[in-house]
Amino acid sequence: MTPPANSPSAVLDTTDTAFALTDLRAHVRWANPAMSDLLGMTTEQCTGRSLTALLAGAPDCPPEDGSDSEDTVISVPRPDGSGHRWLEIRCTKAEDEQLLYRVTDVTRWRKRELGDAGLAKHQDELLRLVDEDPLTGLPNRRALTRELERQLALGARGAFLLLDLDHFKDINDLHGHPTGDRVMCTLASLLRDRIGSGQVLGRLSGDEFAAVLADVDERAAVAAADRLRNAIAAIPMSGVAGASRITVSIGIAMFEAGVGWDEVLANADMALYASKAAGRNRVTVYEQGHYQDTALRVTVVERVRAALRDGGFVLHAMPMVKLGSGRVIGHELLLRLEDGREPRLGPGEFLLAAERSDLVFEIDRWVADKAIQTLVEHPYPGLRFNVNVSGRTLEDEDFGDFVLDRLTAAGVAPGRLGFEITETAAVTNLDAARSLAQQLRASGCRITLDDFGSGFGSFVHLKQLPITGLKIDGEFIHGIDYGSRDTVLVQGLVDIARGLGLSVVAEWVERATQVEALSRLGVRVAQGFHLGKPEPLEDLLARPHGVWMRRPTLMQDVPPATATTPAGEPQ
């Protein structure tokens, strides 16, 4: 039935002013023909789409003071690509928890205003800057968002690619932002040339690019992503940041009608995170498991943050035993999450999540501070601690000062506190590891290279690291009492350490026969479940201090067929 010519519906259908009713998130519930023409789609295609994405810059709610006199003026490209138009948008409250948008084309008036102000010749440049990244000239976030939502509204199937340059921050930090900008422009030009005609590439933020690929399937999307990834990796970067190349991690989210731009972007972000977690410089397509992984990661990070705030972390102490006498010469402090929540999380779970966020900096400071505080409260020379330093904390330039300031203020002898840095972290960030080790060792702290031998590429760096000891990676200890090649390797490690004047500690000692084999090879100190399991630091301190140095109760040997990494060993 055709509505009467003078009915409100008929008036809205014939007016040249665009109207739309949306929900409170600005998703369109109804649009008149003028609005659909403005957006370049049918009224059916408009329904369910984000108006603030299609009209980037439009207000997402009415004015807070309740007035209806404030209008927003934005510029948007015409659907046919024939330039831009200026729009005046008013958003007001409507019935039934809805918003009413009225959009008027004011292009002619705006041009007149710019002409009167003497800015007419700059109009094209002003309009261009609205949708372009000023550094690279690529479409910016609002332009990409609009294009993605437009493709979804038109029912297109395709892929959204999210590209994040690996460790690009190092270029800015080491060579300055002008160098970083030049590299960024080079990469943008390369990506623009390789993306393919008809596809939209843009820059989302500092070191993130994105691409909207319409009418492609998953196989074609992965091929395009690999083409971009390989092109970037092939650029010689020997003069920048001391690196031979720059790599990129890519997340792909396939899309089709029925979803919103924000969901697609979130899925691509989860896939990108999976690429980085898997080692970077790779392409990952979003799948449902990534959502579950992200939900778990977010939950774990929230628990870590709450534990730091509310006291959910505790320290366990694992004895380091002198093999000849059985005396305890110190304890390694191991972090445990005991917040009373399920599921229980081991160090490998919550520390990994923390290292992917800045919370790891707070954790390492909390552990060091707790160790120093305990040494103050128990001023017995025989009580000595080792604490682990994460690879991320090597990036914290103030960590060394923090430790030394705390030691000085507390009056604790630095020799009672040692720090363990994994071989992998030290070699990966050699300059930072050397700087921290020099600072702490100069004050009298002990510095141990943990998991030594796991890489074997670090031998050349040993003389550059001012360390005091090595901890042999537990993988070499498993079969040392069965005549395996581990015996030869451990003997080599011991000889190297002795030649450099370094102490040696073996970990993961699970059987008496391993103790005998290590003693024959010249290893003097070890730790592991056979020599003493970790116990809450609070329980250790509750005993008379002389007991701390006695040989702990030995645990039953672990059969070699079932031997695994002890749950209490450091991660």
Side-chain angles (χ1 to χ4, degrees):
M1 174 176 162
T2 303
N6 60 349
S7 70
S9 177
V11 172
L12 292 175
D13 284 345
T14 58
T15 182
D16 59 0
T17 300
F19 288 94
L21 277 174
T22 74
D23 61 18
L24 296 181
R25 297 183 301 152
H27 288 176
V28 176
R29 291 180 173 175
W30 167 88
N32 72 342
M35 179 65 79
S36 63
D37 290 343
L38 178 71
L39 298 176
M41 55 190 66
T42 67
T43 54
E44 291 77 14
Q45 291 171 334
C46 293
T47 304
R49 309 323 309 176
S50 169
L51 192 63
T52 52
L54 295 171
L55 298 178
D60 56 9
C61 63
E64 293 184 1
D65 60 6
S67 67
D68 60 358
S69 59
E70 296 186 18
D71 294 333
T72 300
V73 177
I74 66 171
S75 70
V76 297
R78 297 179 184 275
D80 60 4
S82 61
H84 285 70
R85 65 172 67 175
W86 292 97
L87 304 176
E88 185 177 79
I89 304 176
R90 174 173 297 187
C91 176
T92 57
K93 291 183 179 179
E95 296 180 352
D96 300 325
E97 297 294 309
Q98 297 184 109
L99 301 177
L100 175 64
Y101 283 86
R102 187 193 70 182
V103 183
T104 305
D105 189 330
V106 294
T107 302
R108 185 177 59 183
W109 302 337
R110 194 67 170 177
K111 286 183 177 180
R112 184 184 306 156
E113 290 177 353
L114 292 172
D116 293 342
L119 298 174
K121 61 181 180 180
H122 300 294
Q123 178 176 231
D124 291 341
E125 179 69 12
L126 292 173
L127 291 172
R128 185 177 63 81
L129 290 176
V130 170
D131 289 327
E132 282 191 9
D133 171 56
L135 175 64
T136 63
L138 294 175
N140 58 16
R141 174 181 285 271
R142 61 181 280 165
L144 282 167
T145 299
R146 180 177 59 240
E147 176 62 18
L148 176 58
E149 187 71 351
R150 190 180 73 85
Q151 292 290 344
L152 293 169
L154 295 175
R157 293 171 177 252
F160 184 78
L161 275 56
L162 189 57
L163 303 83
D164 186 275
L165 300 173
D166 299 325
H167 305 300
F168 188 78
K169 181 177 180 293
D170 292 345
I171 295 179
N172 286 328
D173 290 346
L174 294 175
H175 292 270
H177 287 277
T179 298
D181 288 348
R182 288 195 297 273
V183 173
M184 183 64 67
C185 290
T186 299
L187 295 175
S189 178
L190 175 72
L191 293 173
R192 184 191 293 112
D193 293 341
R194 300 298 178 90
I195 192 63
S197 61
Q199 311 295 10
V200 179
L201 172 76
R203 185 186 182 199
L204 277 188
S205 60
D207 56 1
E208 280 191 339
F209 294 92
V212 180
L213 308 184
D215 299 322
V216 298
D217 58 16
E218 182 175 314
R219 182 177 180 180
V222 171
D226 275 328
R227 186 167 62 248
L228 299 177
R229 181 179 62 84
N230 292 330
I232 288 179
I235 299 178
M237 304 298 293
S238 56
V240 179
S244 60
R245 63 175 183 167
I246 289 179
T247 60
V248 63
S249 299
I250 303 178
I252 300 177
M254 305 305 298
F255 63 76
E256 58 184 12
V259 298
W261 70 269
D262 46 356
E263 181 181 345
V264 175
L265 186 57
N267 291 346
D269 188 62
M270 285 185 270
L272 171 64
Y273 185 88
S275 287
K276 288 188 172 292
R280 305 176 188 271
N281 189 29
R282 61 192 65 213
V283 174
T284 303
V285 180
Y286 170 78
E287 56 188 36
Q288 187 61 35
H290 294 145
Y291 176 82
Q292 296 167 352
D293 292 344
T294 300
L296 175 60
R297 172 168 51 89
V298 171
T299 300
V300 171
V301 169
E302 289 174 349
R303 287 178 63 176
V304 169
R305 185 176 289 110
L308 285 167
R309 182 185 65 244
D310 304 328
F313 281 127
V314 298
L315 293 175
H316 284 212
M318 186 170 201
M320 295 181 288
V321 179
K322 195 167 185 178
L323 297 182
S325 63
R327 301 279 289 178
V328 175
I329 64 169
H331 291 84
E332 180 181 0
L333 297 183
L334 307 174
L335 188 65
R336 299 292 180 261
L337 178 62
E338 297 182 5
D339 58 359
R341 296 170 59 180
E342 295 294 337
R344 293 178 63 85
L345 299 175
E349 296 167 297
F350 69 80
L351 285 179
L352 182 60
E355 285 189 352
R356 291 170 178 166
S357 72
D358 291 342
L359 287 175
V360 72
F361 301 136
E362 297 182 50
I363 287 177
D364 280 1
R365 291 191 179 213
W366 183 89
V367 172
D369 187 66
K370 187 70 173 178
I372 294 171
Q373 179 184 337
T374 303
L375 292 173
V376 171
E377 296 171 351
H378 301 271
Y380 309 110
L383 184 66
R384 304 196 310 169
F385 294 144
N386 275 16
V387 299
N388 294 283
V389 177
S390 73
R392 287 289 312 281
T393 291
L394 295 178
E395 305 169 12
D396 183 356
E397 297 178 355
D398 297 326
F399 180 73
D401 291 334
F402 167 80
V403 170
L404 298 183
D405 288 346
R406 289 289 292 115
L407 285 170
T408 301
V412 172
R416 298 177 66 198
L417 186 63
F419 294 87
E420 299 188 5
I421 304 172
T422 66
E423 174 190 11
T424 303
V427 174
T428 302
N429 203 343
L430 185 61
D431 290 339
R434 180 168 53 236
S435 177
L436 179 62
Q438 287 174 338
Q439 183 181 17
L440 295 178
R441 182 176 179 178
S443 73
C445 294
R446 291 167 284 109
I447 306 294
T448 299
L449 200 60
D450 195 8
D451 296 338
F452 189 76
S454 59
F456 274 101
S458 61
F459 284 114
V460 69
H461 301 302
L462 272 180
K463 61 183 180 181
Q464 303 179 40
L465 290 170
I467 58 178
T468 59
L470 302 176
K471 180 177 284 188
I472 301 175
D473 188 88
E475 292 293 341
F476 298 108
I477 309 301
H478 278 316
I480 198 168
D481 50 343
Y482 288 92
S484 67
R485 294 181 179 179
D486 292 339
T487 301
V488 178
L489 296 174
V490 171
Q491 182 67 73
L493 295 176
V494 172
D495 290 343
I496 290 172
R498 184 180 293 119
L500 296 174
L502 304 176
S503 63
V504 175
V505 178
E507 58 183 353
W508 298 8
V509 176
E510 300 163 336
R511 300 181 296 279
T513 49
Q514 288 174 318
V515 173
E516 296 169 1
L518 289 170
S519 297
R520 288 195 301 269
L521 294 174
V523 176
R524 300 290 179 257
V525 180
Q527 64 186 75
F529 271 23
H530 174 73
L531 299 172
K533 65 178 181 179
E535 64 177 321
L537 180 60
E538 186 177 290
D539 293 351
L540 174 71
L541 299 175
R543 298 198 296 273
H545 72 271
V547 178
W548 299 336
M549 300 178 65
R550 296 176 189 167
R551 181 169 182 161
T553 301
L554 301 185
M555 297 190 67
Q556 197 170 20
D557 288 356
V558 180
T562 60
T564 58
T565 303
E569 289 284 347
Q571 301 298 311

